[in-house]
Structures are given as structure tokens and as C-alpha cells.
Amino acid sequence: MIEIDEVTKRFRRNNSGKQTELVVLEDISFNVKDGELVSIIGPSGCGKTTFLKIIAGLEPKTKGSIRLNGKEISSAGKDRGLVFQTFNLFPWMNVQENVEFGLYELSPKERSERSSRFIKLVGLESFEKYHPHELSGGMQQRVGIARALAIEPEVLLLDEPLANVDAQTAEKLIDEFLKIFEITKKTVIYVTHNMDEAIYASDRIVVLSARPGKVKEIYEVNLPKPRWNYEIRSLPEFGALRYKLRDSLGLAMK
Amino acid sequence: MTETEDLEDQQGNILKNKWVIRAITFAIIVAAWQIAGSNLNPIYLSTPTAIVNAYFTLLTQTGRYSLIPATVETLEATFLGFGLSIVIGLPLGLMMGMFRSIDIAIDPYMNALYVSPRVALIPLIIIWFGIGFNAIVVTVLLLAVFPVAINTYAGVRNIGRSLLETSEVFGVKGMRRFRKVLFPSTIPFFMTGLRLGIGQAFIGVIVAQMLLALSGLGYLITAFGDYFDTPQLMALIIELMVLGVAMTTMVQIIENKISYWKQSERAFK
Ligand SMILES: Nc1ncnc2c1ncn2[C@@H]1O[C@H](COP(=O)(O)OP(=O)(O)OP(=O)(O)O)[C@@H](O)[C@H]1O
Ligand SMILES: [Mg+2]
């Protein structure tokens, strides 16, 4: 269970001698239940990445509290895995080495067992020795997911993981990701720009307003499960929710 | 025929063409030189045939003006000085890049030395090390250590924030972060430093030998210049060019091997 309570983030800037402040996030509050998938959607620059970095422990918050199972989060830790929009693989490491990046505490045997298990889970067996530049964008992001899952975190944080992948691959990958989240029983916070992706994947959708990002609306998604089924996209409920979301985002952008 | 085959074929043609073009240019230059050289006082230009003859005389000769010992000595000094430049320049660049205080302390001196004509220090080196092999190696070090250190430094400074954030997320810090992330990401920059450094090292050797040695290629150049022996002088200059190209090519080959991931990264952008 993640409890997010009145999280505010301000960036201080030195504007030619004058101190200015940029309020990026303001009083963000919501909870994420165990095993739930919550999407965060909002206009560009509203602070989605900043918010995810705060939860990951990469960026300090100005105010508020974030608790994971009752414990306040203050720095990065292996109970949270992060998947980046830009993949952030290490180009000099092959797939296996990238996936094993966070596994230095394990014995060599456990390490290679663990990495091959997750490489298999994302469907990249037989690509272990490939380097990132030899992989497509979609394959690179599979490595990113495998790397984050391999540390066996409770919570998986994803920052627009499919934004740098073409639409067809993204549609295929989201199904695979949903299956993987189900198998591994992860609690997921999923940042996206894409309304269809958000509806398709989420249990709930948090809509943020334009900067300063505030919680504008939270939608429950009551579509049937399992979700990896294209038919869901043509259900009337899907369309109705899409309409509401669009409206809410459209207003948010004004 | 598929599109890719077509492309490869075209590239093959261009490659063949390239060497044809070069062979023709070379032939024209040599012929023009031969004609011009034969009609002038041989002191000015000499001729390709005279230079080839001079080269074989130098090769077969024994004693003070013999080419092979001079070449060996010059290469020895280059590689020794260059090796020292790596041993000193690499850690120096890494430390300056990673520790702000070391950077602040050393940077002004590094900069002052880097932008000044360092060959001006040769008289001082003679006072400290006398004339001879040691002084030459020190001169090489003085020229080559800067490109190595400064490029390594730039490599550390250039590492993307996102890769450091990734390290943090996965709990990789301290020495492990250095080994797994910082050091590998500076390697392409370090290799650029080597490529520039080997050129500088070679300049250092020749200048030092011209000024303070009684042997080596630099010394021979000064000697034949003093005797107005243009064919031998030209033969030596051409040998220097060939050696220079060979050394940079060698570094380039190592560079392509080691930072292959960087090269291919560039190709995609
Ligand atoms: N380190 C920083 N220092 C100062 N300002 C920052 C910093 N990081 C982000 N910002 C500012 O915070 C705001 C939100 O940035 P953020 O990257 O979180 O937006 P986002 O919602 O992820 O946008 P996008 O959808 O385009 O990815 C931006 O206006 C940005 O300029
Ligand atoms: Mg973002």
C-alpha cells in the first residue's frame, strides 16, 4: 500500500541573481492498494516525471509524505523498481549484464538464474549477449522492464515506457506488460500520455492538471479482466470513459 | 537484387574508385615533382628518384647516420613517453572529473600549461635531466599527458545524469559505480585523448631530438638540413609522415574495437 499525502514540489531557480520558485506539484494525495495499477495522466510539463522520481527517491519533495507499507520513503531502495521513458540501458553492457545491474548482492549462480528467469519472462531468451544498439526500441524497453523486475521490487514505477516505441509495438507490449504485472503481482504506478493506454491498463486513473500539477480527477476503471484482450477497446464503457477523460484533460490544458 | 545488396555494391564501387583516384593523384604528383625537381637546383626540391636512392643509402649505411637505429630509438622514446602519459594522465583526468576540490585546485595550472607552447620548457628540462634519452621522454610526457588527461576529464564530466540516476535506483554506488558506470562511459573520450596524444608524443620526440640529441630521427633531420642534403632530408620527412599515420591508425583501430558501442550509437543518431 502506497499512501501519498499532500506532496508538493517546488524547484528553486536563480534567475540572474533573483531567486524564483517554480511550483511543479501541489498537494498531491491518493493511495495505491497492493496489486493495483494506477495510471497518472496529464499535460506535458505538469510534473509526472518529477512525481515518479520523488516516489523512486531520486528527487526530494518540498512538502508532504509518501509511505510504502507505513514506512516513509526518503531515498532510493530496492522495494521500488523504475522503468525509464528513454530506456537508460548501459550501452557497454549486454542484455544479461544490464538485467543483472542491480543484482550484485546475489551469488553469481543466483544472479544468472534470476536474470535468465526475467529475460525469459520478457521474451528475450537467446538475446542475452546482444548489446542495446543491436536491439529495437521495443526490445530495449523489455530489457528495461526485466532489469526493474529482477530486483524483485514491491512497486513498479513506469515513466511513459512506451512513448519511444511505435504504436503497433506499443499495443503488443502493453498486453505483455499486463500479463507480467499479473504474474509477478506488482503494485504499479504507470505514467502515460496516452488515454487509451491508461484506460486499457489501469484500475484507476489519476488526472493531473497543468502546472502546478494537482489531482484534478480520479477515475475508476471498471472494465472486465483480464485486460489483454483487444475487444475491451470496443466496449461502450471504454468509449464513455475515454470521452470523460478527454474532457477532463481538455479542460486541464486550458 | 535487393536494396541492401545494391547499396553494398555501390559502396564497393566507391571504395574501388577511391583507391584508383588516389593512385592517379599520386602518379601525377610524383611525375610533376620529378620534372620540376630536375629543372631546379636540387637543393630546393630534389626529385623522387633521388629521394628513393637517398632512402636506401640511409637504410644500408652503418654508424651515426644509419636509419634503423635512429628509428628504433625514436619509437622507443615515443612509446615510453606516451605510456607514461597514460599512466599519469588517465588517473589525473579521472580524479579531476570526479572530485570537485581536485578539479578546482589543479585546473588553473593544467590550463596554463595546456595553452602555452610547452616546447618552451625544453631548456628547463635540459637543466633538470641533462641531454639524452631521459630528457626526450620527459618532453614527450609533457606534450602527450595533457590531451589524455583533459579528454578523460571531459569524459567524466559528460556522463549523462540519467545513467547516474539509473545507478542510484538500482543501489549501485561508490567503487562499484565507478567500475560499472563511470569508467566505461569515459572510455570513448579517453580513446580520443590517446589519438590526439600519440600525435603530440611524436611531435615531442622529434622536436626534442632536434634540439638536444646526438641520435634519433630528429637529430638526423637537423644534421642533413645543416648539410643542405635535401634528398636525405626529404626521405626522413616522408618516413616521419608514414610513422605518424601508422601510429594514429593503430590507436584508431584499438578505439574502434574498444568503444564499438559508442561508434554504433553515433551511427543511429
Ligand atoms: N531539476 C529540475 N530543476 C528545475 N526544474 C525542473 C527540474 N526538473 C523538472 N523541472 C521542471 O518541472 C516541470 C515538470 O517537469 P516533468 O519532467 O516532471 O514534467 P512531465 O509531466 O514529466 O512532462 P512530460 O509529459 O513532457 O514528460 C517542468 O516545467 C520542468 O521545467
Ligand atoms: Mg516526463
Side-chain angles (χ1 to χ4, degrees), chain A residues 11 22 24 43-50 160 193 211, chain B residues 161:
Chain A
F11 283 110
L22 184 70
V24 175
S44 183
C46 75
K48 302 183 293 297
T49 298
T50 307
E160 304 198 41
H193 254 122
R211 206 179 49 235
Chain B
R161 183 180 150 167

Side-chain angles (χ1 to χ4, degrees), chain A residues 82-216:
Chain A
L82 182 57
V83 177
F84 301 85
Q85 178 179 348
T86 47
F87 317 143
N88 291 8
L89 302 180
F90 297 99
W92 52 87
M93 296 182 195
N94 63 30
V95 168
Q96 186 182 357
E97 289 162 337
N98 267 294
V99 173
E100 290 177 358
F101 185 66
L103 305 180
Y104 47 87
E105 279 148 341
L106 302 181
S107 72
K109 191 163 161 280
E110 286 175 302
R111 197 183 307 144
S112 67
E113 271 170 16
R114 179 89 65 93
S115 64
S116 61
R117 178 149 58 90
F118 285 99
I119 289 170
K120 200 160 166 230
L121 188 65
V122 298
L124 282 181
E125 60 267 45
S126 80
F127 287 98
E128 278 100 342
K129 301 297 173 215
Y130 280 58
H131 282 77
H133 66 82
E134 299 167 300
L135 304 176
S136 69
M139 290 161 96
Q140 291 189 46
Q141 194 56 296
R142 287 168 202 253
V143 180
I145 296 266
R147 177 176 65 181
L149 288 170
I151 60 171
E152 306 207 308
E154 265 189 72
V155 180
L156 200 59
L157 309 166
L158 301 104
D159 188 9
E160 304 198 41
L162 299 175
N164 285 318
V165 170
D166 68 88
Q168 271 166 298
T169 311
E171 226 164 65
K172 185 161 169 277
L173 275 181
I174 191 76
D175 280 357
E176 289 184 26
F177 289 177
L178 290 177
K179 281 179 208 169
I180 290 169
F181 301 157
E182 183 88 6
I183 295 167
T184 54
K185 298 192 172 52
K186 294 296 169 213
T187 305
V188 181
I189 300 185
Y190 192 101
V191 166
T192 179
H193 254 122
N194 185 317
M195 281 186 279
D196 287 340
E197 209 173 284
I199 301 168
Y200 190 65
S202 318
D203 297 308
R204 277 187 301 151
I205 303 173
V206 176
V207 181
L208 295 185
S209 62
R211 206 179 49 235
K214 295 184 199 170
V215 177
K216 189 175 163 64

